[in-house]
Amino acid sequence: MAHQMFLGTLRANVLTNPTGCRAAPPRSSARIGRGKFPVAAISDDYLPMRSTEAKNRCRTSKSDITSLRLITAVKTPYLPDGRFDLEAYDYLINMQIEGGAEGAIVGGTTGEGHLMSWDEHIMLIGHTVNCFGTRIKVIGNTGSNSTGEAVHATEQGFAVGMHAALHINPYYGKTSTEGMVAHFKAVLPMGPTIIYNVPSRTGQDILPPVIEALSGHPNMVGVKECVGHERVKCYTDKGISVWSGNDDECHDSRWKYGATGVVSVTSNLVPGLVRSLMYEGENATLREKLLPLIKWLFCEPNPIPVDTALAQLGVARPVLRLPYKALPLEKRVEFVRIVEAIGREHFIGKREARVLDDEDFISICR
């Protein structure tokens, strides 16, 4: 009888709780156990999954990230069976370090994080930290259109040692301004965070009031901004760090509009030249020299051209995950000409750039 009465009371509590979840016990009911932490299986307060133990490297501060001028959005290469080609990936990261890149976005748009499982995603972040974390800042793209997934992935990313997180706004199932602010506030407690605004992909602009509402948070590092120069200036005038997300605009954004630097696709291929753009002052000659390559890299949606280019340079296998397909033959021929015009010595890899045939490329759906 007592057992039945308990079940009846439990069902009543669940039915009368408008959230459908068990109600948290009153705060006065929390007990202090033998350890130093309150015993509370359920809490009204969100507790980030973080550790205070010292890691095998220095703790990353906000200023460690805002000092970065060149961050490369690194491409993820594949083996013919669809798994990551870690040997080629390691080579790419080493070439970024040698070329002067100070940060690497892992699993971003260029790295095809949207085609990865979360297991793959977190593994690649952890691998990058383990192998290169003392030589380059590892920024994991742990953003999602689902706030719950973004929180979970970001917890895991920081647990495996990434230095900062990159977060996009909710896409497809777009939200209100208030919802967008709440989404970012849910992930900010875990560590240094760069917010990524690319309306052409998400379908929704992150307007300045959202960024300004978040700018006071101690983990809010800055913005990767793809809207253009005026938006860059809007933030720099307010003391908010911003990286250009547009390679064709990054030179002017840096030297005329106050951008911190660039998150670059082009630096996958020519890291040294992009570093020069970010560090050596205004250089219209170098900018004009790189523009044909930059335009080529965005002749179709990123990362299709950079995938094609790295295969033609012999740096990555000609394996593409669907729905991406290599550029058509005339564009592959054009790339070889661009390499010759800029100078092969400026590109990563040791083989001559060559025109691959259609049958050389492998499409995988894993």
Side-chain angles (χ1 to χ4, degrees), residues 26-56:
R27 291 185 180 274
S28 59
S29 68
R31 298 181 293 106
I32 302 298
R34 294 181 180 177
K36 60 182 178 180
F37 303 106
V39 176
I42 303 171
S43 172
D44 291 332
D45 298 322
Y46 173 73
L47 299 175
M49 188 184 75
R50 59 189 175 195
S51 168
T52 58
E53 290 297 312
K55 293 183 169 60
N56 294 321

Side-chain angles (χ1 to χ4, degrees), residues 48-352:
M49 188 184 75
R50 59 189 175 195
S51 168
T52 58
E53 290 297 312
K55 293 183 169 60
N56 294 321
R57 53 179 172 76
C58 296
R59 183 179 177 85
T60 306
S61 68
K62 180 176 176 177
S63 62
D64 291 332
I65 306 301
T66 56
S67 67
L68 307 179
R69 300 287 176 260
L70 172 56
I71 301 171
T72 298
V74 179
K75 151 71 181 165
T76 306
Y78 305 108
L79 295 167
D81 64 2
R83 291 174 298 142
F84 296 154
D85 185 344
L86 290 181
E87 185 177 2
Y89 179 82
D90 292 350
Y91 179 82
L92 287 174
I93 298 289
N94 273 311
M95 289 299 96
Q96 294 307 310
I97 294 169
E98 289 185 21
E102 303 144 303
I105 303 287
V106 179
T109 305
T110 308
E112 303 176 19
H114 47 287
L115 303 185
M116 297 178 189
S117 69
W118 280 118
D119 283 348
E120 289 180 312
H121 213 134
I122 300 303
M123 181 276 283
L124 192 60
I125 292 171
H127 170 79
T128 311
V129 171
N130 287 335
C131 296
F132 307 102
T134 58
R135 294 189 288 153
I136 196 168
K137 295 301 181 188
V138 179
I139 303 164
N141 170 32
T142 53
S144 172
N145 61 340
S146 161
T147 305
E149 284 196 5
V151 167
H152 183 62
T154 304
E155 287 175 336
Q156 292 186 330
F158 280 114
V160 300
M162 69 183 184
H163 300 96
L166 182 73
H167 276 283
I168 204 163
N169 52 305
Y171 49 87
Y172 185 72
K174 299 182 289 186
T175 186
S176 63
T177 298
E178 183 180 359
M180 204 182 293
V181 170
H183 174 85
F184 290 126
K185 282 186 175 179
V187 296
L188 277 168
M190 280 163 275
T193 300
I194 298 173
I195 292 176
Y196 177 18
N197 185 34
V198 56
S200 63
R201 290 184 181 269
T202 64
Q204 189 173 25
D205 191 7
I206 305 175
L207 295 171
V210 174
I211 300 301
E212 291 163 18
L214 302 168
S215 62
H217 195 286
N219 286 333
M220 172 60 177
V221 173
V223 188
K224 176 187 173 183
E225 183 57 72
C226 297
V227 166
H229 295 314
E230 293 307 317
R231 186 67 63 81
V232 169
K233 188 174 186 302
C234 169
Y235 293 137
T236 57
D237 285 349
K238 292 179 171 63
I240 298 171
S241 297
V242 56
W243 289 264
S244 173
N246 299 327
D247 282 7
D248 61 337
E249 296 182 341
C250 69
H251 172 272
D252 288 356
S253 283
R254 171 84 172 101
W255 301 112
K256 296 180 180 180
Y257 296 91
T260 297
V262 62
V263 176
S264 177
V265 177
T266 308
S267 55
N268 276 278
L269 307 179
V270 287
L273 294 183
V274 180
R275 180 183 170 86
S276 295
L277 277 184
M278 294 297 101
Y279 270 95
E280 296 178 7
E282 290 192 51
N283 189 337
T285 301
L286 179 56
R287 176 183 175 276
E288 292 300 317
K289 183 176 183 178
L290 286 175
L291 271 180
L293 174 61
I294 293 171
K295 289 179 179 178
W296 183 90
L297 280 169
F298 294 93
C299 66
E300 285 193 14
N302 178 47
I304 295 168
V306 72
D307 285 352
T308 306
L310 289 170
Q312 291 193 223
L313 291 171
V315 172
R317 288 177 170 83
V319 179
L320 284 78
R321 276 190 180 182
L322 292 171
Y324 299 128
K325 298 284 289 184
L327 289 179
L329 179 60
E330 61 269 22
K331 285 295 181 181
R332 302 200 296 266
V333 172
E334 183 183 345
F335 175 70
V336 173
R337 291 173 182 161
I338 290 171
V339 172
E340 292 170 353
I342 293 175
R344 178 64 183 89
E345 69 275 12
H346 296 297
F347 287 76
I348 68 170
K350 298 178 181 178
R351 298 180 184 175
E352 289 301 312

